[in-house]
Amino acid sequence: MKKGIIPAISGLLAGFLTAGVFFANTDMGEKTVANASSDAEKVYVPFGKQDEYYLFASGGHSGQLFVYGVPSMRRIRTVPVFTPDAATGYGWDKKSKEMLGGYTWGDLHHPAFSETKGEYDGKYLFATDVANNRAAVMDLKTFTVEDILNVPNTSGPHCAAFVTENTEYLFLPTRFPVPINREYAKLDDFSTKYKGVMSAVTFNEQTKKLELAYQVALPPWSYDLSDAGKKTSADWAVLTTYNTEEATTNLEINASQKDRDYIVLFNWKELEKMVKEGKYDTVNGAKIVNPAKHKGAIYLVPVAKSPHGVDVTPDGKRFIASGKLAPAMTVFSFEKAFEAIKNKKFDGEKYGIPVLDYASVMEREVNPPNALGPLHTQFDDKGFAYTTMFISSEIVKWNVETGETVDRVPVQYSPGHSVAAEGDSVSPDGKYIVALNKIAKDSYLSVGPSHPESMQLIDLTGSKMKVIQTAPVDPEPHYAQIIKADKIKTIEVLPKDEKRPNSVWKQEDARIERKGNEVHVYGIAMRSKFIFDGKAERKDVVTVKQGDKVIFHLTNIDLDEDITHGFAVNAYNQNMEIQPGETKTMEFVADKAGTYPIYCTNFCSALHQEMSGYLLVEPK
Ligand code: RUQ
Ligand code: CUA
């Protein structure tokens, strides 16, 4: 059965993987040097003009999302998602503080746009947190996070997020198997008590909430990368696995023992049906499907050991796996897989899940000469695939139909992912691809031992691929998605809504109400003052007693583009931003007596320095 699986030259390659970056590119030909004039023109976006695309890059363990313009590669925004951010006060105001749930960091991988009929629809962006098992949704009207969901029974949803063709689900398979409910269990009981839980999450556009729909108890393996099917394969999705050896220590060696791991191929429509029919166990409120008990939705496809990326072609006909420890990409056919399932071409079972016969599903193994460390594949509009080579530091362009290599371009250095314009949709644009490099080494002015990493913009429109721009990114770029700029419809000013709870729109309505030991301030921020009490002589002063809970509800009544106010309480560790037309709430206990200046942190007018007031806390 193992015949046909790419021979693993794992000892050698494993050595390259760890040592790879040191020789990366030295034997791969010339270093890319942009041609100063013609390339500069291609990336120059003159003042008054805008970039053609937005690129949303994962901020990794900063827990944030970075927004760049393409082709200029200028960073235009940092959107805090899983980590508090002083620049926007994210994590201090009531809503964001509650969403973050006490966590002070996150590890954001793999952003994914919402889709309609397989096209990015420009409405939402989803992301997951490998550090603390969360999923988030960002509203692209405001570039702010709407909801964060804590996902139970899972640890490190690296293999996410990927959305189905009409954003029915986003899936979060686990990287680290853990017992259900993360209960204590000895590592000796790994194979019986630990599970690789995959979660199906839905997003409700009305309530703007993420919800856990169901989970699947997969074998106790590590799930790495994933992709949803498209068109004829739209009901299906694929995940790569590693450590099917079930090693519990020294994974570097022990998780690479077998010649093969698997791709999990599953039908989410079928799973949805099973859940509707009650074919699940309820554990702590989560509906968990057991694939050994309820068959017909999940299959395993053998693949060369320790695969990393798996990517579905834009036409939905194939999925391509890349191997960290195999020097090749393996092309599989969905159609062949469906046939094999129909004809029960199985090669045994694992944990009750049928294993499909490799030769019946595999179409070809693609092995470009001297290309080492294939990780991820993207696509253009002409049937070409672009695979990043971590070890040989290049992007290889190849023909999906024939497997033939057509072009290759060195990048600086060690690309993990790359991202093509509209690359994960059913219709990639084919104009640009950006290499997301893990190592920038000598690319920028040195800032000491730790360097920023880099993203390199590659022009795909000429006869040869060409690097035409580079931008630092810090920390390392995990994944990114690129969307046509005109698909995103932001709002510049939040609508004046007099019925919005706690909002105040007229200065005379600003007031301070005491309820027991709670002090509620219904105030206004405007150029260039705070009004907490519209009837008081000193309208910008709040006086409370030590131990009181103070609740500020502040509305920015400047309905003007880019007039954002800040609200900070000096020496009280409180800070938030209030965007034009927005109402924000901040609450804290005034446990320190004394005199505390309040000031606006966002430069908003010539008299911004005058936008201040006082919080007076009378001693007990
Ligand atoms: S992974 S370098 Cu976090 Cu996306 Cu492949
Ligand atoms: Cu408001 Cu500065």
Side-chain angles (χ1 to χ4, degrees):
M1 151 69 223
K2 276 173 202 158
K3 88 175 155 25
I5 293 222
I6 302 154
I9 46 169
S10 59
L12 184 66
L13 274 171
F16 282 178
L17 266 186
T18 38
V21 295
F22 296 108
F23 75 92
N25 210 49
T26 50
D27 57 350
M28 283 313 303
E30 86 284 12
K31 179 168 173 182
T32 312
V33 179
N35 174 318
S37 59
S38 67
D39 294 344
E41 244 168 64
K42 284 189 186 148
V43 300
Y44 179 60
V45 178
F47 186 73
K49 289 234 158 57
Q50 310 284 330
D51 275 299
E52 192 181 346
Y53 296 93
Y54 283 97
L55 179 153
F56 290 78
S58 136
H61 50 283
S62 74
Q64 300 167 329
L65 263 165
F66 307 141
V67 186
Y68 285 74
V70 173
S72 74
M73 296 304 285
R74 290 179 297 208
R75 178 136 152 200
I76 42 185
R77 170 117 292 191
T78 299
V79 181
V81 181
F82 295 119
T83 300
D85 173 49
T88 51
Y90 183 77
W92 280 268
D93 71 273
K94 189 169 191 270
K95 179 181 170 183
S96 61
K97 194 174 174 178
E98 284 174 2
M99 278 195 308
L100 287 176
Y103 288 113
T104 55
W105 79 293
D107 188 3
L108 190 154
H109 288 238
H110 308 134
F113 289 120
S114 56
E115 294 182 15
T116 302
K117 292 188 180 148
E119 300 283 4
Y120 302 158
D121 58 24
K123 294 206 281 192
Y124 303 97
L125 185 75
F126 303 98
T128 54
D129 170 20
V130 178
N132 296 307
N133 317 317
R134 295 175 287 176
V137 56
M138 174 179 138
D139 190 335
L140 293 174
K141 279 201 204 81
T142 55
F143 283 48
T144 55
V145 172
E146 272 298 338
D147 192 29
I148 293 181
L149 176 75
N150 282 280
V151 184
N153 303 325
T154 202
S155 276
H158 177 269
C159 190
F162 63 102
V163 300
T164 53
E165 224 179 30
N166 290 294
T167 320
E168 292 94 342
Y169 294 96
L170 60 144
F171 285 97
L172 292 77
T174 199
R175 172 173 166 198
F176 312 108
V178 286
I180 298 290
N181 211 23
R182 218 175 288 123
E183 261 155 25
Y184 172 81
K186 290 205 177 83
L187 283 164
D188 292 338
D189 299 330
F190 193 80
S191 300
T192 49
K193 299 232 169 105
Y194 286 59
K195 294 279 173 247
V197 167
M198 172 172 83
S199 309
V201 168
T202 54
F203 174 59
N204 182 328
E205 252 194 286
Q206 265 63 55
T207 61
K208 299 257 164 94
K209 292 276 177 224
L210 294 164
E211 284 153 27
L212 180 63
Y214 60 85
Q215 297 187 311
V216 183
L218 291 174
W221 305 335
S222 290
Y223 299 87
D224 205 9
L225 265 300
S226 50
D227 203 0
K230 297 179 170 86
K231 298 184 175 175
T232 49
S233 58
D235 299 350
W236 295 79
V238 279
L239 325 170
T240 51
T241 65
Y242 63 101
N243 196 18
T244 59
E245 290 85 352
E246 299 171 24
T248 53
T249 183
N250 195 7
L251 265 54
E252 184 188 16
I253 306 286
N254 297 335
S256 319
Q257 293 304 306
K258 293 193 200 154
D259 281 342
R260 62 173 192 199
D261 287 294
Y262 300 100
I263 288 174
V264 179
L265 171 68
F266 70 94
N267 185 313
W268 57 266
K269 278 259 168 83
E270 202 57 47
L271 285 170
E272 186 180 75
K273 214 170 96 202
M274 285 177 183
V275 173
K276 272 199 195 115
E277 290 165 357
K279 294 177 177 164
Y280 58 82
D281 305 311
T282 306
V283 185
N284 294 315
K287 299 170 180 167
I288 305 186
V289 178
N290 176 350
K293 253 199 318 205
H294 305 293
K295 300 199 182 231
I298 304 182
Y299 302 89
L300 299 173
V301 180
V303 65
K305 72 159 74 176
S306 304
H308 186 55
V310 60
D311 299 281
V312 174
T313 53
D315 59 12
K317 288 186 179 156
R318 299 176 172 95
F319 52 102
I320 296 165
S322 309
K324 293 174 288 197
L325 296 180
M329 294 78 83
T330 311
V331 183
F332 296 94
S333 153
F334 273 109
E335 210 176 303
K336 285 177 130 195
F338 300 157
E339 272 298 296
I341 291 167
K342 206 172 85 198
N343 301 324
K344 298 206 160 46
K345 288 238 172 177
F346 300 147
D347 182 23
E349 283 191 347
K350 285 275 166 186
Y351 289 90
I353 305 172
V355 178
L356 298 179
D357 173 52
Y358 179 73
S360 311
V361 183
M362 194 271 298
E363 199 173 275
R364 72 167 40 85
E365 292 169 356
V366 179
N367 193 347
N370 303 320
L372 293 175
L375 291 185
H376 298 281
T377 300
Q378 286 276 285
F379 305 96
D380 67 9
D381 53 339
K382 297 176 190 73
F384 294 111
Y386 300 78
T387 303
T388 46
M389 299 291 165
F390 179 81
I391 297 170
S392 53
S393 279
E394 58 179 330
I395 292 185
V396 172
K397 175 179 177 181
W398 54 283
N399 185 316
V400 176
E401 290 283 340
T402 64
E404 169 210 6
T405 302
V406 277
D407 193 13
R408 39 211 296 182
V409 66
V411 294
Q412 285 72 38
Y413 304 89
S414 298
H417 288 265
S418 73
V419 51
E422 303 257 327
D424 289 308
S425 73
V426 290
S427 61
D429 276 7
K431 204 164 168 183
Y432 298 112
I433 194 161
V434 175
L436 307 176
N437 304 322
K438 301 289 193 199
I439 306 281
K441 230 166 32 178
D442 48 9
S443 305
Y444 307 108
L445 287 174
S446 175
V447 287
S450 170
H451 295 198
E453 313 317 341
S454 77
M455 300 198 289
Q456 286 178 300
L457 177 70
I458 297 166
D459 180 9
L460 301 181
T461 57
S463 57
K464 297 273 292 165
M465 290 188 280
K466 184 144 200 253
V467 174
I468 54 170
Q469 180 66 306
T470 173
V473 56
D474 206 1
E476 59 161 321
H478 287 274
Y479 192 42
Q481 283 195 329
I482 299 178
I483 188 171
K484 282 196 193 82
D486 60 13
K487 284 190 179 175
I488 289 189
K489 312 264 185 259
T490 53
I491 43 173
E492 299 293 341
V493 172
L494 287 136
K496 178 172 178 179
D497 173 6
E498 306 208 359
K499 293 207 192 76
R500 185 192 300 152
N502 306 319
S503 65
V504 173
W505 299 92
K506 286 193 219 97
Q507 299 190 34
E508 58 271 29
D509 293 341
R511 63 202 185 273
I512 300 174
E513 290 172 3
R514 175 175 278 282
K515 291 173 195 149
N517 58 354
E518 283 187 2
V519 178
H520 296 254
V521 181
Y522 299 87
I524 281 173
M526 62 186 285
R527 277 166 293 184
S528 302
K529 56 188 169 232
F530 291 108
I531 308 206
F532 303 129
D533 184 344
K535 301 206 170 66
E537 190 191 330
R538 296 190 181 94
K539 300 179 169 46
D540 44 18
V541 175
V542 176
T543 304
V544 302
K545 294 197 176 61
Q546 186 177 8
D548 280 348
K549 184 175 183 183
V550 199
I551 301 130
F552 283 95
H553 305 286
L554 297 179
T555 302
N556 177 352
I557 64 165
D558 284 322
L559 303 176
D560 245 351
E561 189 173 334
D562 199 21
I563 302 301
T564 291
H565 295 290
F567 173 81
V569 187
N570 184 288
Y572 246 93
N573 196 32
Q574 298 297 334
N575 156 44
M576 68 176 175
E577 171 193 75
I578 317 150
Q579 297 186 3
E582 191 178 32
T583 303
K584 276 251 182 88
T585 296
M586 170 186 283
E587 46 180 57
F588 58 94
V589 176
D591 46 10
K592 292 185 292 187
T595 303
Y596 300 95
I598 288 170
Y599 73 103
C600 170
T601 46
N602 270 59
F603 209 103
C604 53
S605 75
L607 296 175
H608 154 81
Q609 288 296 87
E610 279 73 6
M611 189 164 172
S612 67
Y614 280 99
L615 171 69
L616 300 174
V617 185
E618 287 174 19
K620 253 191 197 142

